[in-house]
Amino acid sequence: MRLRALLETDALGLRLLGGEDELDRTVRGVMTTDLRDPSRYLSGGELVLTGLAWRRDAADSEPFVRILAGAGVAGLAAGEAELGDIPADLVEACLHHRLPLFVVHETVAFATITEYVVRQVSGERAGDLAAVVDRHRRLMTSGPAGGGPEVVLDLLTSDLDLRAWVLSPTGRQIAGAGAPLPGPLGAALAGHHLAATRTGRRGPHRAAVAGTTYSLFPIRNTGRGAVPAARDVRESVLSDWLLAVEADASDWPAARLDLLQGVTQLIAVERDRRDAARTVRRRLAQEVLELVQAGAAPAEIAARLRVAAPVLLPGLGVAPQWQVVVARVDWTAPDQAAAAGDIASGPVAQALLEEILVDPAVSGPDSADRIAVAHTGDEAIALVPLPALITAPAESGEGAEGGEDADALDGEPGLHADALLASVREPLSAGLAEDGRLTLGVSAAVHSAEGLRGALEEARHARRVAAARPGRVCAAGHHELASHVLLLPFVPDDVRRAFTARLLDPLRDYDRRHRAELIETLEAFLDCDGSWTRCAARLHLHVNTLRYRVGRIEQLTGRDLSRLEDKLDFFLALRMS
C-alpha cells in the first residue's frame, strides 16, 4: 500500500506536516517505538509510529530522523498525546531528510493505525503470493486477514492433503487443522526446530518423532522484515513461531516449497498483528514496574493497577491478586564471533516469559491476553493478575512457608515455579544449547499495591537462587526463600569448596579405596533424622553395620553425628557439593 492511501483514509485522522512529494512510497509494515535508536528493529518500508517519549530537547530530533531515513522507512507518524503540537525541530529534520511526517490526533490510538496497515499489507502479500502459485490462489487470498491461521491450515489440508500446525517455540499449539497435536509431540518438534536453528541450518528442518516424519518451517516476524545477515540468531530463536507439517519436504519440488514459504509469510503477518496488540499490556507492565522501582506511593501504584485490571482481566468484577515473575537469559560465547554482551537479552527474556506464562493446556494465539511483561536491562518482569480465590482459606499459606511439604503448596493461589517449566524445559534447553541459560523466580501472591515492591524483590531473590543451580533451565519459588536454600547461592565459591572438602573429602577418599559407601550412608542417616532403625531399613543393613559405618564417618572427620551442629554442617556440605 502507498502512504497516500493512509492520508486518504478518514478513519485514521492523519494530517500531513511535510513530505507531500513522497506520498507514493510503499508501506510494507508498521512499527511503534519510543527508542532513541530503533535501527536494529527496522528493515525498510515501515510506517513508524512514535509518542515522542524519546525527545528530551530539540537536539534529539535530527539524529532520530537521520536513523529512520537511513533505515529506509516509508514515513513517520507522531502522536499529539504526549507533547501536544509537534515540535518544529522534528518538522525541520523530516523536511531535511525528505521523510514524510504525519500527525496522529490524540483521539486516534496507535493500535487503530497498526491494525489497518497490517490488514492492508497482509492482503497485498497474500495476493502477490497467489500470483506466484496461481493454482493455489484461494489459499493465499484467504490468509490471516480473512480468518486467522486456521483458515490457511484448513486449506493446506483440503488443497494439498497436508496436516499442519503452528507452534510456539515451546511447542504450544497456536493453530492447527483437524485433531490437536499432543503436548509432548509439540514440545519434541519445537526442540528439534530450536536445535537445528542453533546450528545455523536453513529451514525447513526434518524431524522424525515416533515413526512419523515432519518438516519444520520457521515463521519469521515480518514486522521487522528479513533478518539481517549479521544479526545473532540467539536474539530470535526463542521467540519465533514454527510451522510443523506432517510430511517429508526434502524431495518437494520448488513450487511446493515456495507455497509453504508463502504460508509462513502469511502466518507471520498474523503474528505481527498479535504482537502489536500485546504492546498495550507490555506498556502497562512497564508503567507499574517503573512506579514500583521508583518507590512511588502505594496509592499511585494502586491507581495504575486499576487501569491495568480491566485490560488484563476483562469482565472480572473483583479485585485481583498479583504475582511477580522475573526471568533472565544469559549467554556465553567463547567461540562465537559476537560477544554475549552484544545480545539484547532483555527482549529475549520478555518474549520467552510471555510464552512460558501461558497455560500449556490452552491452545490458540490469544491465550496470553492476561499477561503483562516488561523488561529492564537483562531482566524480564511479569505482572500476573490472579482472580480473587474465594475457595482458598486464609490459613493456606502457613504450611507452605517452610517449603518442606510440596503438597502444602497445592493450596496456594497462582503460579508455582516448577510447574511453569515442567512442559517447556526440553525444547528450551535445545534452543539455549551449550551457551545459554534461563533462570526464573516467582513471588508469592500479594493483595495490594503495597506488596508489589516486596514481591519484586522476592522474585529477584528466587531467580538468584535458581541461577546457583546446575542446568540450562532453572526456576525457584518464594517458598524456598524461607529455608537454608536462600543462603547457599551467596556463599563464595572458594568458601564452598573449602567447607565441603574439609568434611567430605576424607569420606570420598575412603569410599574410593574401600567401596564403603560412607557418603551414601551419611545422606540416608541425615534424611532419616538420625533414626538408626529407619536408616538401616532404607539401606537394607543390620543396625550394627550402620553403627560401624557412622562410627567410621565420625572417626575420619572428627565430628559427632549425635550433635545437632555437626549434623547441620554435614547437611549443608552435602547440599553445596
Side-chain angles (χ1 to χ4, degrees), residues 284 287-293 295-310 312 319-320 322 383 446-453:
L284 285 172
E287 290 173 353
V288 174
L289 174 63
E290 289 173 358
L291 289 175
V292 171
Q293 294 191 127
E300 186 177 359
I301 299 173
R304 197 59 58 93
L305 287 175
R306 284 194 293 272
V307 173
L312 299 178
W322 302 90
L383 185 67
V446 296
H447 303 265
S448 64
E450 289 89 342
L452 275 181
R453 188 168 187 177

Side-chain angles (χ1 to χ4, degrees), residues 15 65 123 324 372 401 428 460 482 501:
R15 181 163 51 91
V65 174
V324 176
E401 283 187 6
L428 292 186
R460 282 175 166 161

Side-chain angles (χ1 to χ4, degrees), residues 3 49 61 64 69 74 86 123 139 161 175 213 283 286 289 365 387 398 400 423 455 540-541 544 559 561:
L3 280 176
L49 306 175
S61 292
F64 179 78
I86 304 304
L139 172 62
D161 196 26
T213 300
R283 185 171 298 171
Q286 194 72 43
L289 174 63
E398 294 180 0
S423 63
H540 305 290
L541 298 175
N544 289 341
R559 299 299 184 106
L561 278 169

Side-chain angles (χ1 to χ4, degrees), residues 55-313:
R55 183 185 179 276
R56 298 172 185 170
D57 54 45
D60 290 335
S61 292
E62 205 287 331
F64 179 78
V65 174
R66 184 174 66 249
I67 289 170
L68 298 188
V73 304
L76 174 65
E80 292 180 324
E82 183 75 16
L83 301 179
D85 293 337
I86 304 304
D89 47 272
L90 180 61
V91 177
E92 182 179 346
C94 288
L95 289 173
H96 176 71
H97 289 280
R98 300 180 63 83
L99 182 67
L101 175 62
F102 300 89
V103 180
V104 181
H105 194 272
E106 63 181 357
T107 60
V108 178
F110 282 179
T112 300
I113 300 173
T114 298
E115 183 177 358
Y116 178 85
V117 172
V118 170
R119 187 166 58 245
Q120 297 300 315
V121 171
S122 65
E124 292 176 5
R125 286 175 178 165
D128 292 342
L129 190 60
V132 175
V133 190
D134 187 64
R135 75 184 183 89
H136 293 292
R137 183 181 302 274
R138 182 168 62 91
L139 172 62
M140 295 296 95
T141 56
S142 298
E150 289 82 0
V151 172
V152 179
L153 301 184
D154 285 341
L155 290 173
L156 275 180
T157 301
S158 62
D159 285 16
L160 299 179
D161 196 26
L162 292 175
R163 298 178 66 209
W165 302 265
V166 178
L167 304 178
S168 77
T170 65
R172 181 176 61 88
Q173 182 173 316
I174 305 295
L181 200 65
L185 176 55
L189 292 175
H192 279 287
H193 172 73
L194 292 173
T197 302
R198 285 303 311 274
T199 65
R201 287 160 41 201
R202 293 175 60 90
H205 310 303
R206 184 180 182 276
V209 179
T212 302
T213 300
Y214 300 86
S215 295
L216 311 175
F217 294 79
I219 296 174
R220 300 301 180 195
N221 193 323
T222 56
R224 298 180 184 176
V227 177
R231 181 178 173 181
D232 196 307
V233 68
R234 291 173 291 184
E235 291 188 2
S236 61
V237 66
L238 296 176
S239 59
D240 286 341
W241 289 356
L242 67 136
L243 177 67
V245 180
E246 189 179 306
D248 187 350
S250 59
D251 57 353
W252 281 5
R256 177 166 285 205
L257 285 173
D258 286 343
L259 175 64
L260 266 294
Q261 294 293 352
V263 168
T264 65
Q265 293 170 24
L266 288 172
I267 296 171
V269 173
E270 178 72 2
R271 170 72 184 270
D272 290 344
R273 186 181 71 80
R274 300 183 191 267
D275 281 350
R278 182 174 290 179
T279 301
V280 176
R281 298 192 297 277
R282 287 178 171 179
R283 185 171 298 171
L284 285 172
Q286 194 72 43
E287 290 173 353
V288 174
L289 174 63
E290 289 173 358
L291 289 175
V292 171
Q293 294 191 127
E300 186 177 359
I301 299 173
R304 197 59 58 93
L305 287 175
R306 284 194 293 272
V307 173
V311 176
L312 299 178
L313 293 170

Side-chain angles (χ1 to χ4, degrees), residues 13 32 34 48 70 83 94 98 103 149 237 241 268 293 302 316 326-327 329 333 344 367 417 462 464 485 550 554 572:
T32 300
D34 278 314
V48 175
L83 301 179
C94 288
R98 300 180 63 83
V103 180
V237 66
W241 289 356
Q293 294 191 127
L316 188 67
V326 173
V329 175
S367 49
R464 286 193 285 270
V485 178
V550 170
E554 294 174 334
L572 293 175

